[in-house]
Amino acid sequence: MKKVFFSLMLAAALALGFTSCDKKTAESETHSQTFSLGGTSYPVDNVITIENIQYNGSDVYNAIVLYTGKLIGNTGGECKGVTIIFKGDITAGTYNLSGNDNYFPKYVFADVSINDIINFDILELADDDAYIATSGSFTLENTGDGYTVTTSSVEVENTWDPSIVETSSVDYEGASATYRLATVQEGTLNDGEADANIVTAGTTKYTLMIVETNVACFITDSGDMIGFTSAQQSFADGVPVGQYTNSTFPIIQVNITDIEHPKFATSGSISVAKDGDVYTIDITDAAINGKTYNMHYVGTLPFFNLPI
């Protein structure tokens, strides 16, 4: 079975976990807004680009994900999509494709779930009856708020059975939502029973219970999120340094597979320090739904202006 011998940690859940309205694509007079495998065509419902995917301590990757359906919310679930992975910046141009393990960009047709997005591992994606391009080409144009992606003669191999070869294509023009992942130096969340690693973090705005709320949030590799909110204090230019109580910045917990039902702490405290663009943030003794949460995080907090 053909595999790509590396693993990328891709945690877009920070952005996806806070909006039940994904980025919708626009109609186009010149492009079909679809991707395909063999004789089956799928509508491109949503497009996201992921920046600052860090691997092996030095290499940085970026990706474009075009998929049909929704990953989160009441109607969310597993979606079929095409993921194009760049080593380095996403740059306009025409690129030939190869099945060589060390060749980039890579073009992968696969089922994608929110858990794949949180903890994106090419090996696992390839194990899930995926198809990886071995020949052909794609052209990428930057349109300002998004991209035009077209393909030519793309052939893909099945990762379970390389003798199964199909054609694949993308014909898309439109906007994309862009998410820049945090640079995480260290981070853990403990729910009173076990530690979970924090894989990304950041700040955003979200309409929570009809009130526009500013949120600082921290996502674990198991899909749990803890954070704190403010209806008055914007976090777009950074989280203010200091010591805070739960009454000042209410602490919130949610699982990204059930974002419609957030849970709020009844007590707890927050400590925020900053050195350059690196924060040290601790959430201490946050009592939420019968559990006591403690978090320690060191890293950046990029801001996401979410499409609603």
Side-chain angles (χ1 to χ4, degrees):
M1 178 174 61
K2 188 173 182 65
K3 289 186 176 181
V4 184
F5 293 102
F6 71 98
S7 171
L8 300 179
M9 185 64 72
L10 181 60
L14 170 63
L16 294 174
F18 272 97
T19 176
S20 58
C21 301
D22 294 272
K23 185 70 175 181
K24 297 299 180 184
T25 61
E27 294 183 359
S28 171
E29 295 182 356
T30 56
H31 297 273
S32 64
Q33 309 296 62
T34 61
F35 62 92
S36 71
L37 178 70
T40 304
S41 180
Y42 304 89
V44 178
D45 292 324
N46 300 285
V47 179
I48 58 174
T49 60
I50 315 298
E51 297 180 351
N52 197 35
I53 306 165
Q54 298 177 45
Y55 172 69
N56 213 22
S58 58
D59 293 328
V60 175
Y61 298 82
N62 298 275
I64 300 174
V65 185
L66 308 96
Y67 60 98
T68 186
K70 292 180 63 174
L71 294 176
I72 63 169
N74 289 331
T75 60
E78 194 169 67
C79 300
K80 294 189 182 299
V82 169
T83 301
I84 302 173
I85 305 167
F86 292 78
K87 188 174 184 178
D89 294 337
I90 298 173
T91 305
T94 296
Y95 297 90
N96 293 322
L97 295 166
S98 168
N100 186 293
D101 291 333
N102 297 316
Y103 185 90
F104 290 88
K106 280 198 185 307
Y107 177 110
V108 183
F109 178 100
D111 291 335
V112 180
S113 71
I114 190 62
N115 288 331
D116 291 320
I117 298 297
I118 296 168
N119 200 13
F120 194 91
D121 188 325
I122 287 292
L123 288 175
E124 291 189 8
L125 196 65
D127 280 343
D128 193 22
D129 199 24
Y131 291 79
I132 297 179
T134 57
S135 64
S137 66
F138 74 91
T139 298
L140 177 73
E141 299 175 44
N142 193 322
T143 60
D145 64 345
Y147 297 95
T148 298
V149 185
T150 56
T151 54
S152 176
S153 304
V154 174
E155 287 194 346
V156 291
E157 284 185 1
N158 183 272
T159 54
W160 285 105
D161 184 353
S163 68
I164 301 175
V165 178
E166 297 279 8
T167 59
S168 182
S169 66
V170 173
D171 186 29
Y172 173 76
E173 176 188 35
S176 67
T178 300
Y179 308 110
R180 183 168 182 82
L181 303 184
T183 298
V184 181
Q185 295 184 9
E186 59 186 74
T188 56
L189 173 65
N190 185 283
D191 63 359
E193 297 177 358
D195 287 336
N197 293 322
I198 294 170
V199 293
T200 198
T203 63
T204 189
K205 287 184 179 180
Y206 175 62
T207 300
L208 184 66
M209 296 179 172
I210 76 171
V211 177
E212 185 176 79
T213 304
N214 299 280
V215 186
C217 44
F218 308 86
I219 307 292
T220 73
D221 51 10
S222 59
D224 285 318
M225 189 283 300
I226 195 168
F228 49 89
T229 67
S230 174
Q232 293 82 33
Q233 174 73 58
S234 173
F235 296 152
D237 295 323
V239 176
V241 171
Q243 307 287 325
Y244 306 99
T245 64
N246 182 59
S247 59
T248 303
F249 289 157
I251 300 169
I252 188 174
Q253 185 271 335
V254 68
N255 186 285
I256 61 164
T257 61
D258 187 22
I259 63 171
E260 287 83 7
H261 300 93
K263 301 177 179 66
F264 290 87
T266 55
S267 62
S269 62
I270 304 159
S271 172
V272 181
K274 188 179 182 184
D275 182 6
D277 62 351
V278 176
Y279 287 86
T280 298
I281 298 179
D282 290 280
I283 296 176
T284 304
D285 295 336
I288 305 173
N289 198 35
K291 292 186 176 182
T292 300
Y293 289 82
N294 287 277
M295 186 206 76
H296 175 67
Y297 175 79
V298 180
T300 61
L301 285 179
F303 176 75
F304 296 85
N305 188 11
L306 297 181
I308 299 299

